Amino acid sequence: MDDFPTSTPRPLKGRSKGAKFLVVCALAVLMAIPALLVFALLMERTNRAEGVAREIGDQMGGEQVFLGPVIQIPYVLASRTTTDDKGNRVVLAQETGNLIVFPQTGKASASTKSEVRSRSIFRVPVYTSDLKFDAAFDLKDVQAARPGAVLMWDKAQLITGAADSRGARKDIVAQIDSRSVMLAPSGPGVTGFSPDGTDFDLFAAPLTITDTAAPLNIKVAMTFTGTRKLGILAYGKSSEATITGDWKHPSFGGGFLPVTRETEGATHKGFSAQWSVPFIARGLPAVIDQNQMMSLGKSELSVTFVEPTNPYQSVGRSLKYALLFVGLVFLTYFLFESTSKKELHPAQYILVGLAQITFYLLLLSFAERIGFDAAFLVAAGATVTLIAGYAGLIFHSRWRFVAALGVFSALYALIYVLMRMEDYALLVGACSAFIVIAAVMVLTRNINWYGNRTEAE
């Protein structure tokens, strides 16, 4: 029963319910235009957040990837020779290059301590990591990798690397058997390792080798800072790596997933992950030319420090369903209209649609300040109250206000579920849409889509 005073309804003439339904559908599609404008604003805010992350990364070292100790050996390969008047062999043309020798076994460990750096309203995870690398070299078969080449063992160098040397917090020290050496920058590095595609910074120390039959054991220690990601390349024929840290929301990736991992977010103790990469899985021989080093980037073992309070991904996911949920609200208003004496103007549908689009603006602006969950509660509560109250006012019925409040509350609760159930979002959304369409078919089964409706409610 209507609880508010109403004016005498006018018969609805000249417009069938079917035509009105098509108009409502067209208006729902039209709402995609302001939704796209909100999406453009979201992209602008996302790019601004990425810009802040890059600015902080420039100071902290950015997303770091590390190369453990390998040995670089210059070589000369004569391609054409002759003899002079005295019978001496003369090289007329020669090829030069550098061989990269990987250790037989490489073991790496990284222990990280994390924090969040803020600039304005944007937050970026940063870390300080202590890294240790062990490498056991067997040099007996290196010559066989480059037959006919003259290897300059006296000019061999120990090489390590990082994506960005600006993150170094201590000098890099290597323990070569029983002696310690300090590594220095070796000039331009190898392109293709670092996240942004710039040169990989290399560090080197002289490594004069006189006995290639003897095994060589090298340990390297370094301390670096970085932002958002830490990766270690599988630098040995057989490589093992362990990364531990206090960050509560790690994401493991790279070329290989860890064989074991422990995440203790519920107890706020951090994470631990271990990788093991056999020789055959790495896809590179034990000795390569330096120009093949880019292929090593596929063997990255990494952990990403996910920022759970980052709202942009969740808001963007909710925008993907904007047209669906605008349509469902319009459908609810159409059902109210079809079962009442009140005929709504298209402008009223547009106002309801704009109120829903404003929900996403509220969600984005509040999420940047108070987090996604609290922002969703504020934005959804305000929007549901507005469009449900509007339904009660234009239909002059408290019953329709209560019904709209229940339906729209359930609808926005469904939006939240879809945002939080990322793996099952498509399944839940498809089943919900099917149920809604089935309910509408049942509720509209007695509507005369062709005729004009003049009888009382």
Side-chain angles (χ1 to χ4, degrees):
M1 177 179 179
D2 292 340
D3 302 295
F4 298 117
T6 62
S7 58
T8 302
R10 295 184 297 115
L12 306 180
K13 298 179 180 180
R15 179 180 298 166
S16 68
K17 289 299 179 184
K20 183 62 174 288
F21 180 74
L22 294 178
V23 171
V24 171
C25 291
L27 292 175
V29 174
L30 188 64
M31 288 297 104
I33 297 176
L36 288 175
L37 296 178
V38 175
F39 187 78
L41 176 61
L42 173 65
M43 290 297 98
E44 187 273 330
R45 301 299 288 177
T46 302
N47 292 335
R48 174 57 182 151
E50 288 295 323
V52 170
R54 286 192 297 269
E55 291 173 7
I56 295 178
D58 288 342
Q59 301 167 351
M60 300 291 293
E63 298 182 356
Q64 293 282 20
V65 182
F66 298 96
L67 170 67
V70 297
I71 295 176
Q72 175 181 281
I73 306 171
Y75 69 85
V76 176
L77 181 63
S79 57
R80 188 160 61 90
T81 62
T82 187
T83 56
D84 58 16
D85 296 337
K86 299 180 180 179
N88 297 322
R89 181 170 174 265
V90 177
V91 177
L92 298 179
Q94 62 184 19
E95 176 187 344
T96 62
N98 293 293
L99 290 182
I100 299 296
V101 181
F102 297 109
Q104 292 293 308
T105 60
K107 296 182 179 180
S109 65
S111 176
T112 64
K113 293 183 178 180
S114 311
E115 60 179 308
V116 175
R117 295 285 179 91
S118 299
R119 180 169 297 176
S120 182
I121 61 175
F122 303 105
R123 294 159 51 89
V124 181
V126 302
Y127 62 83
T128 300
S129 182
D130 293 318
L131 299 107
K132 295 180 180 179
F133 299 93
D134 290 348
F137 290 90
D138 183 355
L139 305 177
K140 294 192 300 292
D141 299 325
V142 174
Q143 181 67 65
R146 201 65 168 162
V150 178
L151 303 185
M152 302 179 183
W153 291 100
D154 58 329
K155 296 182 179 179
Q157 293 188 88
L158 171 64
I159 300 291
T160 64
D164 194 336
S165 60
R166 290 173 297 180
R169 290 300 175 263
K170 293 181 181 179
D171 290 327
I172 301 175
V173 177
Q175 188 75 25
I176 303 174
D177 287 333
S178 58
R179 62 190 179 93
S180 296
V181 297
M182 186 176 298
L183 279 71
S186 66
V190 180
T191 301
F193 284 150
S194 58
D196 58 2
T198 57
D199 285 349
F200 198 70
D201 295 331
L202 299 181
F203 317 106
L207 188 67
T208 302
I209 298 173
T210 57
D211 184 4
T212 60
L216 183 63
N217 297 300
I218 297 176
K219 299 179 184 293
V220 174
M222 58 179 73
T223 299
F224 272 75
T225 59
T227 61
R228 299 194 294 187
K229 189 183 84 168
L230 184 150
I232 296 174
L233 300 174
Y235 65 96
K237 285 181 60 178
S238 174
S239 301
E240 296 180 3
T242 300
I243 303 178
T244 60
D246 56 359
W247 191 256
K248 304 177 185 63
H249 307 280
S251 176
F252 305 105
F256 300 89
L257 291 176
V259 293
T260 63
R261 59 182 181 180
E262 298 178 5
T263 55
E264 302 176 81
T267 55
H268 306 290
K269 292 182 180 179
F271 70 92
S272 175
Q274 295 181 329
W275 287 262
S276 180
V277 182
F279 179 38
I280 194 172
R282 196 182 65 147
L284 283 174
V287 181
I288 63 173
D289 267 9
Q290 189 174 23
N291 57 16
Q292 296 177 271
M293 283 285 282
M294 289 186 294
S295 299
L296 191 62
K298 298 184 294 184
S299 68
E300 178 184 310
L301 318 172
S302 65
V303 58
T304 300
F305 300 83
V306 178
E307 173 54 65
T309 60
N310 187 336
Y312 303 109
Q313 185 176 11
S314 295
V315 175
R317 196 180 306 128
S318 67
L319 268 171
K320 295 177 182 178
Y321 296 92
L323 185 59
L324 171 64
F325 290 107
V326 169
L328 291 178
V329 171
F330 279 13
L331 191 57
T332 303
Y333 269 82
F334 177 76
L335 289 176
F336 286 167
E337 179 182 356
S338 300
T339 55
S340 73
K341 305 170 185 177
K342 178 74 174 181
E343 182 179 15
L344 300 185
H345 192 275
Q348 293 174 297
Y349 282 97
I350 292 176
L351 288 175
V352 173
L354 292 177
Q356 289 183 268
I357 299 301
T358 305
F359 158 77
Y360 295 102
L361 288 176
L362 291 172
L363 180 61
L364 176 60
S365 58
F366 277 100
E368 290 183 330
R369 302 285 180 175
I370 61 177
F372 180 80
D373 290 341
F376 191 94
L377 181 62
V378 172
T383 304
V384 168
T385 302
L386 176 60
I387 60 179
Y390 190 57
L393 289 174
I394 61 178
F395 289 109
H396 307 285
S397 171
R398 283 201 184 122
W399 179 87
R400 284 188 171 81
F401 165 71
V402 173
L405 187 64
V407 170
F408 298 153
S409 296
L411 183 61
Y412 277 81
L414 176 61
I415 295 177
Y416 183 80
V417 170
L418 290 177
M419 297 309 99
R420 287 309 185 203
M421 297 179 63
E422 181 177 356
D423 294 337
Y424 297 95
L426 179 59
L427 177 63
V428 174
C431 292
S432 301
F434 181 84
I435 293 172
V436 168
I437 294 300
V440 171
M441 293 172 69
V442 172
L443 293 173
T444 60
R445 65 189 183 278
N446 295 323
I447 291 179
N448 182 4
W449 295 98
Y450 288 102
N452 294 321
R453 187 176 175 280
T454 58
E455 65 271 17
E457 183 186 8

